[in-house]
Structures are given as C-alpha cells and as structure tokens.
Amino acid sequence: MLHILYFVHDLADPAVRRRVLMLQAGGALVTLAGFRRDDNALAAISGVEPIELGKTRDAQFAQRIAAVARSAARLRSALRSVARPDIIIGRNLEMLVLANRAKSVFGGDVPIVYECLDIHRLLLRDDVVGSALRSAERHFGSQASLLVTSSPAFIERYFRPRSGLQLPVMLLENKVLALEPAARVIASAARPPAAGKPWKIGWFGALRCRKSLALLDQFSRRMEGRFEIVLRGRPAYSEFDDFDRTVRDAPFIHFAGAYKNPEDLAAIYGEVQFSWAIDFFEEGLNSSWLLPNRLYEGGLYGAVPISIKDTETARFLASRKIGLTLDRADAEHLTALLGEMDVKRYLAAFEAVASQEHKQWMMDRADCQLLVQRLASLTRANEQMAEIQALPQLHRNRGGLQ
C-alpha cells in the first residue's frame, strides 16, 4: 500500500478532507499533517488522526511564514512516530517547504509532489516580494517530481511563463467525489419555483468574496424578492467588514451554515436553480484563472452556473454552450441577465446542463485509483534512477574483483 505523507495549510478545510478521501479510495495510506485555522467537525476524516503543527490565521501571511519556520525546526520530533512515506505531498508553497524538510528527515530519495490549487497574489507581484517568493518556489520546487494543479489557466498564465518551475504537470480538476453507486444517482428533474416563490441562487463553498456578497445583495433588493440568495459553507471573516451583520441586514440573503462535502451536495444544490460560480477575491488574477469547486458541484446536480466573462470559468462554460455569463460586475448587468427569468428560459438552461456527460463533473473510485497509480509511478521512477546511478559503482566494484 502506497504511504503518502500529506502536508496541508488548513486541517479544517473541506477540500483537504475530499483529497484525503480520494487518496484513500485509490488505495493509499494517508498520514495527514498541517496547521489548523479553526475548528470544523465536518472536515474530520474517519480513521485519520492528523498531526497538528500549529495554528495559523487567514490573511496573515507573515504569521503563517513564522509558524512554518517554527514547525520546520521541530519537524523531526513531530514526525518521530511516522513510518517512512513513499510519497510526500505539499499543498501550496508553505507546505512545500515542510515537504522538503520532511524529505531530509526521512532520506533524500522520497519523491515530493507540489500541489498548488491557487496562485497567491503575492507570487504575482512585480516587486522584490514577488521575486523573492517565486525564487523560493523555484528553490523548493526543484526537489519535486510532479506539480498538481486544478485549472489549465494556472499552467498557461503562471506556471509556464512566470514560475520558472520545470516539472511534469498533472491537471486534477476540482470535480465532485462520488465513490459509491448511490452517490452517482443524479437527480435530473428540473426544479422551477412554485407559483409565487422566488428563484434561488446558491453560493456555496469558501465564502471569501466581499464584492460578490455586495453584488448579490444589491441585485436581490432590486428584484424585490423575486430572487433569493442562499449561502452555505465557511465564511472567510477576515475578508468582510462584518459578514454576519451584512447577511442579517440583507432581506433576501440567507446563510444556511456549513455542509459536508460530498455527502450533502445533492440536497443543497437540489434546493436552488442557479449556482454562483463567480469569485472576485483576486480579481484579474487567481479568481480569473480558477475553475471552482462549485462549478463542478452545480453542474453535476443540475444548478445552472453563473459566470462572468473573460474568466476561465466562462471559457469552460462557453465551450460546452451551457450556463449564463455576466458581462459586467454590477447590479444593473446582473438584472439584465436574470431579471426577466421565466420557466421557459430556465428549463432551456437546465436541459443544456443536464445533457452534459456526468463524468466531466465527477471522480469515481476508478479515477481515484488512477490518481494513486500516477503517484506510485514516481516511486518506481526514483527506484529506476537509483539503479542507473548505481551501475557505474557496480562496474567499478566488479572491475576491482577481477
């Protein structure tokens, strides 16, 4: 069984839970180590007791760097009860640093995988800070055997032209994890609202975009109750002036709390007609390049996605002729896009989404096995390289015996 040591930035992140479940479903044994930003019981993974390396805070990059440095200094002690892994994965740049340190703890031939699912805005700066971080990424990435990322635009807009990394790349999209046959039974029925009831837009997942919240509030007020906004997930409170107060004061916005991914997805998407697949958190940069989890979740469960033009999400939807695309990020344009929504138009948009091949939205157990096999191939490649490097010494030894 392949043993993977997985370093993560946030043990309470539902996306971390999903990745661990994927690796386990693929047949790997996973040791999870990382930092905690908050408590989230829904992110607990049965049978996995994580190694906590400390606590970090959202939007506190300097604090996180200091925490990583302290953890690196005592990592040997933290890993003393961990068996030597076959693969080490570092989820983002900070954790790549710890992956390199762990490699030195266990021995220099353990392959490292750099998993990068967001391009932090500091990496894209054209000043001394950005240059220093890209240099650090190149330095620590030079020890890696594989780069895993989730959007083609990350490769085209950052990794190839700017990062300087020379690594094989694996594209691993943020698809829904559907392990059991029952989880793959998709409710394909359209769900227009009953007479007199509002249309519902679901904004689910990592809620970190102040601009989206303001826009949806303005739009729903304009619509005077014809549209209701349903929020679910984990608010990044550091990114809002006062998330709870803003939602409380918004007459047509409802925050329904956290949910379990993937177990609750069918139920929560089944309650809405549309999925908000827009993120302005790092507008023009990471937010324009990513393909968010909610794109795949909404697609699988029949929620019509809403994107904004000139983004990778919009290009993804346009290539499939599905979804609705907003021209500009203001309430006036959103009203023009959705304000005249009726059952006929909704049904046409729903059918376009429902007619897509389900596999483009989801990963099943066979996909998880292929992922683990790809990771296992890194260990075989290392073993073959070690054998090749050992040949000259073997020949010299044989020569000395003759």
Side-chain angles (χ1 to χ4, degrees):
M1 178 178 287
L2 190 75
H3 178 202
I4 298 174
L5 174 58
Y6 190 21
F7 286 100
V8 302
H9 65 297
D10 183 2
L11 292 167
D13 187 344
V16 167
R17 177 180 184 269
R18 187 175 70 249
R19 180 70 80 237
V20 173
L21 291 175
M22 287 171 57
L23 295 171
Q24 290 177 325
L29 171 67
V30 181
T31 298
L32 183 62
F35 296 86
R36 189 173 296 281
R37 294 189 185 176
D38 59 26
D39 294 321
N40 180 11
L42 296 181
I45 309 164
S46 177
V48 175
E49 187 66 34
I51 300 170
E52 293 199 24
L53 302 176
K55 289 192 174 183
T56 56
R57 296 188 294 271
D58 277 335
Q60 298 290 326
F61 193 71
Q63 185 268 338
R64 299 206 308 266
I65 291 297
V68 169
R70 289 193 297 271
S71 180
R74 54 176 184 259
L75 193 60
R76 184 180 296 274
S77 175
L79 298 177
R80 63 183 178 275
S81 62
V82 177
R84 189 177 191 275
D86 301 301
I87 297 283
I88 303 172
I89 302 177
R91 188 181 177 103
N92 78 17
L93 178 54
E94 300 155 64
M95 298 302 100
L96 180 62
V97 174
L98 293 184
N100 274 260
R101 172 61 182 146
K103 180 174 181 174
S104 68
V105 168
F106 288 108
D109 59 344
V110 180
I112 291 175
V113 174
Y114 178 27
E115 184 179 33
C116 185
L117 308 179
D118 284 297
I119 311 299
H120 196 284
R121 60 185 177 275
L122 293 180
L123 281 164
L124 299 168
R125 284 172 50 163
D126 291 322
D127 57 11
V128 65
V129 173
S131 178
L133 285 175
R134 289 190 297 274
S135 294
E137 184 179 55
R138 286 193 297 273
H139 171 73
F140 292 106
S142 67
Q143 298 299 309
S145 300
L146 181 68
L147 168 67
V148 174
T149 194
S150 57
S151 170
F154 289 157
I155 303 168
E156 297 163 4
R157 303 296 295 274
Y158 176 70
F159 285 114
R160 283 179 181 160
R162 299 198 66 182
S163 73
L165 292 173
Q166 302 294 323
L167 294 174
V169 179
M170 180 179 184
L171 183 65
L172 187 60
E173 296 172 77
N174 292 313
K175 295 183 179 183
V176 177
L177 184 61
L179 296 179
E180 305 304 328
R184 299 196 291 273
V185 177
I186 311 303
S188 57
R191 42 190 179 270
K197 297 296 183 180
W199 298 97
K200 292 186 178 181
I201 301 173
W203 179 22
F204 303 151
L207 307 177
R208 59 184 185 177
C209 181
R210 182 188 311 182
K211 187 172 179 177
S212 284
L213 183 60
L215 174 55
L216 291 168
D217 185 19
Q218 294 164 12
F219 164 72
S220 60
R221 289 174 190 265
R222 279 192 176 212
M223 293 291 97
E224 299 180 333
R226 285 193 59 228
F227 279 81
E228 178 183 333
I229 315 302
V230 182
L231 312 183
R232 293 180 183 269
R234 299 173 70 213
Y237 285 99
S238 62
E239 302 302 328
F240 299 93
D241 293 332
D242 189 334
F243 176 85
D244 293 331
R245 179 176 58 81
T246 300
V247 171
R248 186 173 59 248
D249 293 344
F252 308 111
I253 294 182
H254 171 59
F255 177 52
Y259 59 93
K260 204 164 190 177
N261 186 339
E263 290 87 340
D264 296 338
L265 295 180
I268 66 174
Y269 279 96
E271 296 175 352
V272 302
Q273 289 83 36
F274 305 96
S275 171
W276 188 254
I278 297 175
D279 187 334
F280 303 106
F281 177 62
E282 292 180 352
E283 193 171 359
L285 301 173
N286 186 75
S287 291
S288 297
W289 303 340
L290 57 75
L291 293 174
N293 295 319
R294 60 181 70 96
L295 168 66
Y296 300 90
E297 295 165 1
L300 183 61
Y301 293 107
V304 177
I306 303 170
S307 67
I308 190 164
K309 73 173 186 178
D310 298 328
T311 62
E312 188 67 16
T313 299
R315 286 186 284 273
F316 179 100
L317 296 175
S319 69
R320 293 158 175 80
K321 297 181 172 60
I322 60 175
L324 303 172
T325 300
L326 180 63
D327 287 332
R328 287 183 56 184
D330 57 44
E332 181 179 353
H333 283 80
L334 189 53
T335 300
L337 180 67
L338 295 176
E340 300 301 320
M341 183 60 60
D342 57 23
V343 172
K344 181 179 179 181
R345 186 180 172 208
Y346 161 70
L347 290 176
F350 170 85
E351 290 299 333
V353 174
S355 66
Q356 300 294 305
E357 167 56 49
H358 289 155
K359 281 291 290 181
Q360 74 175 317
W361 308 120
M362 54 177 269
M363 286 189 69
D364 58 20
R365 194 173 295 275
D367 295 315
C368 296
Q369 292 168 347
L370 289 173
L371 168 61
V372 171
Q373 289 171 15
R374 176 70 179 90
L375 297 176
S377 71
L378 301 177
T379 65
R380 293 191 292 272
N382 268 20
E383 291 168 357
Q384 291 168 358
M385 182 61 66
E387 291 174 359
I388 292 171
Q389 292 172 345
L391 285 176
Q393 181 63 43
L394 180 61
H395 287 309
R396 284 194 294 271
N397 290 343
R398 286 177 174 173
L401 291 171
Q402 289 176 350

